[in-house]
Amino acid sequence: MDIKHWGRRLAELCEAHQVPGASLAVLVDGEIHECATGVLHRGTGVEATTDSLFQIGSITKLYTATLIMQLVAEGALDLDAPVISVLPEFAVADAVATKTVTTRQLLSHTSGIDGDFFHDTGRGDDCVAAYVAACAGLGQNHPPGATMSYCNSGFTVLGRIIEVLTGQVWDDVLRERLLDPIGAHSTVTLAEDVLRFRSALGHLGEPGEEPVPAPVWGLARSAGPAGTINATAADVVRFARLHLDGGRAPDGTVVLPAEQVAAMRRPFVQLPAGPAHHMCWGLGWIVYDWPGGPVIGHDGATVGQKAFLRVVPESNVAIALLTNGGVPAEVYQRLFTEMLAELAGVAVPDFQPPAEPPEVDVSRYVGSYVREGYDVEVTEQDGVLHLRGESIGELAAINAVTTAVLVPVEEGLFAARRNEHEPWVPVVFYTLPDGSPYLHFSLRATPKGTGTTRF
């Protein structure tokens, strides 16, 4: 394992794609190798080092899912029982969803609950409980179990389940039941703990422009179970090693029984146009159908920071990349393509439209698509579809408007990107079993026309 070579490659790619700073950790042959490049903050010029903390965003969900599966293994929680059996106070706007949504549906993003509800309920230890209470007005993107739609809200609800069943706040449970046993001593959740370390600030800006320091540091504490972990890349790989080692810590302690480890990465729900996504969802983990795989992993994004984790169980290889701005998706795509091919014999698919796009009837897809926190408008100009997506509510001030031309791949499947600096992503138009039209974009299912109060 030539980590110096990969360090040079990381630096080249970050410079090419305007990523201010990055940290990389690789687990191979039982050893962790690390490197870092760039700066943590362009305003201060502080160097990024391997002991620097970055925000790992939604990779946090894997940690929360692991705690949930610990409780399942202990017999304290039934994945298929309604959430209200543990949280009688739990409620969303739809009465049927309130009564029937299960923990398994929250873990697999199939609950249908509007997922991008980033509501700040303060800094107190009661913030997760207060967040769950505030969910009472949330609508449904789709009926429970009808399709898959990425749901941040559901993971904060899972965090509250953990608190109720353990009698402790989520942050303390995470430390005592997971981080300490695996030796992840540079992983923290609270801003005051991050201050004990070198830490990255996110940077914002349009692709192709020089990124600038973000005006805010991170997410509210109430988003903790869904996305507020700060960690070194090596600590993220230490977490991955727990799952590679059948749930055992380095000292042999069983942190999570092997049965639950396997259940977490077993495919549970297929994404719309699955072959284009090359992935489905397990109980927490994303399961990638890649040549040479299978591969499991997750991505994370906060305010100007993005993180990537990929794990190849058959090869005992794990790679974590943490970044703080620019166009990190391109760094990830190029770097992981090279590394996984060399270290694990895995090919990373590169989704792109065909050189000669097919002719499709685009008129049926024109319209408004609305979900919690995000509005999408699809219009037609000279036979070409254009997408405009805009954050509303609490994220509107920091999320840029997304505009993209949709290039046909096949009927119902299109490729989109904001400009030539970013990778292509799939956009899927499809219908539920009841015939309701939907758009699937950025892993979210968005109903057409009638918004989120339809159910």
Side-chain angles (χ1 to χ4, degrees), residues 150-173:
Y150 193 79
C151 185
N152 287 291
S153 308
F155 269 78
T156 300
V157 176
L158 290 171
R160 183 56 184 160
I161 290 174
I162 292 166
E163 292 185 338
V164 167
L165 291 180
T166 62
Q168 298 176 277
V169 297
W170 172 81
D171 310 83
D172 293 343
V173 179

Side-chain angles (χ1 to χ4, degrees), residues 262-285:
M264 286 183 64
R265 64 190 192 213
R266 189 176 300 125
F268 179 75
V269 60
Q270 182 72 58
L271 275 67
H277 286 282
H278 292 282
M279 65 185 187
C280 55
W281 230 278
L283 300 180
W285 288 103

Side-chain angles (χ1 to χ4, degrees), residues 27-29 240 243-245 265 287-296 310-318 340 343-346:
L27 173 68
V28 62
D29 296 329
H243 284 264
L244 286 173
D245 291 345
R265 64 190 192 213
V287 184
Y288 298 92
D289 180 22
W290 291 353
V295 177
I296 57 176
R310 299 294 181 268
V311 183
V312 188
E314 293 181 359
S315 302
N316 284 318
V317 168
L340 288 175
L343 301 176
V346 168

Side-chain angles (χ1 to χ4, degrees), residues 28-290:
V28 62
D29 296 329
E31 298 292 330
I32 296 176
H33 307 266
E34 306 170 78
C35 59
T37 189
V39 296
L40 299 174
H41 188 311
R42 280 192 161 178
T44 64
V46 174
E47 179 186 8
T49 54
T50 56
D51 62 350
S52 300
L53 303 192
F54 288 72
Q55 296 173 23
I56 70 170
S58 286
I59 295 176
T60 299
K61 292 180 174 66
L62 296 174
Y63 295 67
T64 295
T66 299
L67 295 176
I68 285 288
M69 297 306 283
Q70 285 180 339
L71 296 170
V72 171
E74 294 165 8
L77 180 63
D78 180 353
L79 286 180
D80 296 308
V83 169
I84 57 171
S85 66
V86 180
L87 303 181
E89 70 278 17
F90 169 75
V92 290
D94 181 71
V96 173
T98 297
K99 294 178 181 178
T100 64
V101 163
T102 67
T103 301
R104 188 185 301 276
Q105 289 173 334
L106 296 181
L107 284 172
S108 59
H109 300 278
T110 58
S111 71
I113 298 170
D114 284 331
D116 291 328
F117 178 53
F118 290 92
H119 181 56
D120 189 347
T121 55
R123 294 275 302 135
D125 285 351
D126 63 344
C127 66
V128 173
Y131 178 94
V132 172
C135 288
L138 284 184
Q140 293 292 116
N141 284 352
H142 61 79
T147 186
M148 176 270 168
S149 187
Y150 193 79
C151 185
N152 287 291
S153 308
F155 269 78
T156 300
V157 176
L158 290 171
R160 183 56 184 160
I161 290 174
I162 292 166
E163 292 185 338
V164 167
L165 291 180
T166 62
Q168 298 176 277
V169 297
W170 172 81
D171 310 83
D172 293 343
V173 179
L174 177 71
R175 168 64 54 196
E176 294 177 13
R177 296 179 63 116
L178 184 54
L179 300 180
D180 284 346
I182 66 174
H185 302 306
S186 296
T187 300
V188 297
T189 58
L190 302 177
E192 56 266 34
D193 289 326
V194 176
L195 289 172
R196 298 187 289 112
F197 301 85
R198 298 169 71 98
S199 63
L201 179 74
H203 294 72
L204 302 174
E206 289 298 309
E209 299 177 356
E210 288 294 324
V212 298
V216 295
W217 176 72
L219 303 176
R221 186 184 178 188
S222 54
T228 65
I229 285 179
N230 291 254
T232 62
D235 265 10
V236 176
V237 166
R238 289 185 179 94
F239 170 79
R241 181 162 58 186
L242 170 72
H243 284 264
L244 286 173
D245 291 345
R248 292 183 178 274
D251 65 0
T253 301
V254 176
V255 177
L256 184 68
E259 177 184 357
Q260 309 305 330
V261 171
M264 286 183 64
R265 64 190 192 213
R266 189 176 300 125
F268 179 75
V269 60
Q270 182 72 58
L271 275 67
H277 286 282
H278 292 282
M279 65 185 187
C280 55
W281 230 278
L283 300 180
W285 288 103
I286 304 173
V287 184
Y288 298 92
D289 180 22
W290 291 353

Side-chain angles (χ1 to χ4, degrees), residues 366-371 376 437-439 446-452 454:
V366 171
S368 298
Y369 300 79
V370 182
R371 57 179 168 80
V376 178
Y438 270 72
L439 165 72
T446 308
K448 185 177 183 179
T450 55
T452 58
R454 54 184 295 159

